[in-house]
Short mmCIF file of all heavy atoms in Angstrom, two decimals:
data_model
loop_
_atom_site.label_atom_id
_atom_site.label_comp_id
_atom_site.label_asym_id
_atom_site.label_seq_id
_atom_site.Cartn_x
_atom_site.Cartn_y
_atom_site.Cartn_z
N SER A 564 26.73 89.93 178.01
CA SER A 564 26.76 90.30 179.39
C SER A 564 25.48 89.67 180.18
O SER A 564 25.58 89.44 181.35
CB SER A 564 26.78 91.89 179.49
OG SER A 564 25.74 92.43 178.89
N SER A 565 24.43 89.60 179.36
CA SER A 565 23.21 88.96 180.08
C SER A 565 23.48 87.63 180.58
O SER A 565 22.96 87.27 181.62
CB SER A 565 22.05 89.00 178.98
OG SER A 565 21.75 90.19 178.52
N ALA A 566 24.26 86.88 179.85
CA ALA A 566 24.59 85.50 180.28
C ALA A 566 25.44 85.60 181.59
O ALA A 566 25.23 84.75 182.61
CB ALA A 566 25.32 84.70 179.21
N ALA A 567 26.47 86.38 181.56
CA ALA A 567 27.38 86.65 182.69
C ALA A 567 26.54 87.05 183.95
O ALA A 567 26.75 86.52 185.14
CB ALA A 567 28.51 87.52 182.41
N ILE A 568 25.67 88.00 183.84
CA ILE A 568 24.95 88.57 184.89
C ILE A 568 23.93 87.62 185.43
O ILE A 568 23.71 87.46 186.52
CB ILE A 568 24.35 89.94 184.50
CG1 ILE A 568 25.44 91.01 184.32
CG2 ILE A 568 23.30 90.34 185.47
CD1 ILE A 568 24.98 92.22 183.53
N ALA A 569 23.20 86.87 184.50
CA ALA A 569 22.27 85.98 184.89
C ALA A 569 22.90 84.82 185.77
O ALA A 569 22.34 84.33 186.74
CB ALA A 569 21.57 85.27 183.69
N GLY A 570 24.17 84.46 185.37
CA GLY A 570 24.86 83.42 186.11
C GLY A 570 25.14 83.86 187.58
O GLY A 570 25.23 83.15 188.48
N ARG A 571 25.35 85.19 187.73
CA ARG A 571 25.51 85.65 189.17
C ARG A 571 24.28 85.88 189.97
O ARG A 571 24.11 85.49 191.00
CB ARG A 571 26.24 87.05 189.02
CG ARG A 571 27.62 86.99 188.35
CD ARG A 571 28.18 88.47 188.30
NE ARG A 571 29.42 88.52 187.48
CZ ARG A 571 29.98 89.67 187.06
NH1 ARG A 571 29.27 90.75 187.26
NH2 ARG A 571 31.07 89.67 186.53
N VAL A 572 23.35 86.65 189.23
CA VAL A 572 22.13 86.90 189.95
C VAL A 572 21.14 85.78 190.29
O VAL A 572 20.51 85.65 191.22
CB VAL A 572 21.40 88.09 189.26
CG1 VAL A 572 20.11 88.48 189.98
CG2 VAL A 572 22.26 89.24 189.13
N LEU A 573 21.14 84.91 189.12
CA LEU A 573 20.23 83.72 189.23
C LEU A 573 21.07 82.54 189.47
O LEU A 573 21.04 81.56 188.71
CB LEU A 573 19.43 83.66 187.93
CG LEU A 573 18.67 84.84 187.51
CD1 LEU A 573 17.96 84.59 186.14
CD2 LEU A 573 17.59 85.21 188.56
N ALA A 574 21.86 82.52 190.56
CA ALA A 574 22.80 81.48 190.84
C ALA A 574 22.12 80.08 191.07
O ALA A 574 22.68 79.08 190.89
CB ALA A 574 23.56 81.86 192.13
N LYS A 575 20.82 80.06 191.40
CA LYS A 575 20.09 78.86 191.66
C LYS A 575 19.26 78.39 190.42
O LYS A 575 18.55 77.52 190.49
CB LYS A 575 19.19 79.03 192.85
CG LYS A 575 19.90 79.26 194.18
CD LYS A 575 19.06 79.36 195.37
CE LYS A 575 19.79 79.48 196.71
NZ LYS A 575 18.96 79.66 197.80
N SER A 576 19.43 79.14 189.41
CA SER A 576 18.74 78.75 188.06
C SER A 576 19.78 77.99 187.20
O SER A 576 20.99 78.05 187.50
CB SER A 576 18.25 79.95 187.40
OG SER A 576 17.20 80.71 188.08
N GLN A 577 19.22 77.39 186.23
CA GLN A 577 20.11 76.77 185.34
C GLN A 577 20.27 77.73 183.97
O GLN A 577 19.30 77.99 183.30
CB GLN A 577 19.48 75.41 184.75
CG GLN A 577 19.32 74.46 185.88
CD GLN A 577 18.66 73.22 185.36
OE1 GLN A 577 19.09 72.58 184.36
NE2 GLN A 577 17.48 72.84 186.00
#
Side-chain angles (χ1 to χ4, degrees):
S564 56
S565 300
I568 290 165
R571 295 174 187 168
V572 180
L573 303 177
K575 295 182 179 180
S576 301
Q577 300 176 52

